[in-house]
């Protein structure tokens, strides 16, 4: 977490949390969801406005964490902005040289170490890594398939509906809050 964020938290510790205004899609893109977008439906349809500003995306990435309940958030100064997730808290990007096991990094640029691979009922590939659970980016599916076919990564199956509870994350902190 940025030092400026820690200082703001210390100065203003009781700022109310923000829900339903920020989302992460299955390709690792951040979306702002204004009142009009929220009124039109739950994430991911409609998604909202994709955040394109590099510095803002980097700031979000540096201050992206989970609370004890598995709700992911971006700490924006003294305000905790909870994130609506389309599939998982991490979207994995893979890189590899021919004949090597892929290196894994999150959509925020954090390196990760492989633990297990999971195929959901929609044919999407998820990885459990040392920093958490996430979806393999569609552009990197061939590298992941090579790792599975070579035997470097074992593969298990699980219905998507069971994954959040199994791997300890909440897709919609806003919906959970309203219960």
């Amino acid at each position: 977490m940025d030092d400026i964020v820690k200082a703001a938290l210390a100065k203003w510790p009781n700022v109310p949390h923000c829900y339903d205004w920020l989302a992460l899609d299955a390709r690792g893109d951040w979306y702002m969801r204004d009142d009009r977008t929220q009124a039109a439906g739950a994430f991911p349809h409609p998604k909202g406005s994709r955040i394109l500003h590099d510095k803002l995306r980097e700031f979000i990435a540096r201050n992206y964490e989970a609370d004890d309940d598995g709700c992911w958030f971006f700490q924006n100064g003294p305000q905790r902005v909870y994130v609506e997730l389309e599939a998982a808290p991490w979207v994995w990007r893979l890189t590899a040289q021919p004949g090597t096991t892929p290196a894994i990094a999150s959509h925020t640029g954090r390196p990760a170490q492989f633990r297990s691979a999971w195929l959901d009922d929609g044919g999407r590939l998820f990885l459990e890594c040392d920093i958490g659970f996430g979806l393999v980016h569609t552009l990197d599916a061939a590298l992941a398939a090579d790792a599975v076919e070579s035997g470097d990564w074992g593969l298990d199956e699980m219905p998507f509906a069971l994954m959040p509870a199994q791997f300890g994350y909440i897709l919609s902190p806003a919906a959970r809050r309203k219960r």
Side-chain angles (χ1 to χ4, degrees), residues 139-160:
L139 293 177
D140 300 331
L143 286 174
D146 290 344
V148 170
E149 289 174 3
S150 71
D152 290 335
W153 293 352
L155 183 62
D156 292 303
E157 294 185 25
M158 181 183 296
F160 176 70

Side-chain angles (χ1 to χ4, degrees), residues 44-64:
H45 302 291
K47 286 188 175 184
S49 301
R50 193 168 123 212
I51 298 174
L52 300 174
H53 191 276
D54 288 339
K55 296 295 183 193
L56 178 55
R57 289 193 328 233
E58 291 167 6
F59 182 63
I60 292 170
R62 287 192 312 272
N63 296 286
Y64 179 58

Side-chain angles (χ1 to χ4, degrees), residues 56-136:
L56 178 55
R57 289 193 328 233
E58 291 167 6
F59 182 63
I60 292 170
R62 287 192 312 272
N63 296 286
Y64 179 58
E65 300 180 10
D67 66 16
D68 293 339
D69 295 326
C71 294
W72 285 79
F73 63 90
F74 154 56
Q75 192 68 46
N76 183 25
Q79 186 169 51
R80 183 172 286 189
V81 179
Y82 280 97
V83 178
E84 297 292 299
L85 303 172
E86 184 172 353
W90 299 110
V91 176
W92 305 122
R93 297 307 316 256
L94 310 178
T95 55
Q97 300 300 322
T100 65
T101 302
I104 305 166
S106 73
H107 65 284
T108 65
R110 287 184 61 187
Q113 297 300 312
F114 175 84
R115 289 191 177 158
S116 61
W118 297 86
L119 192 65
D120 79 355
D121 43 355
R124 298 181 298 177
L125 181 63
F126 292 80
L127 302 179
E128 179 185 19
C129 293
D130 62 331
I131 65 169
F133 188 75
L135 176 66
V136 172

Side-chain angles (χ1 to χ4, degrees), residues 158 160-171:
M158 181 183 296
F160 176 70
L162 301 178
M163 289 180 172
Q166 176 69 29
F167 295 100
Y169 66 96
I170 306 296
L171 288 171

Side-chain angles (χ1 to χ4, degrees), residues 9 14-23 31-35 38 65 67 71-84 171-175 177-178:
L9 278 167
N14 298 315
V15 173
H17 299 325
C18 179
Y19 293 87
D20 218 15
W21 281 81
L22 183 64
Y31 284 85
M32 290 296 298
R33 297 179 40 77
D34 60 17
D35 286 329
Q38 291 176 39
E65 300 180 10
D67 66 16
C71 294
W72 285 79
F73 63 90
F74 154 56
Q75 192 68 46
N76 183 25
Q79 186 169 51
R80 183 172 286 189
V81 179
Y82 280 97
V83 178
E84 297 292 299
L171 288 171
S172 177
R177 178 176 163 247
K178 293 173 188 173

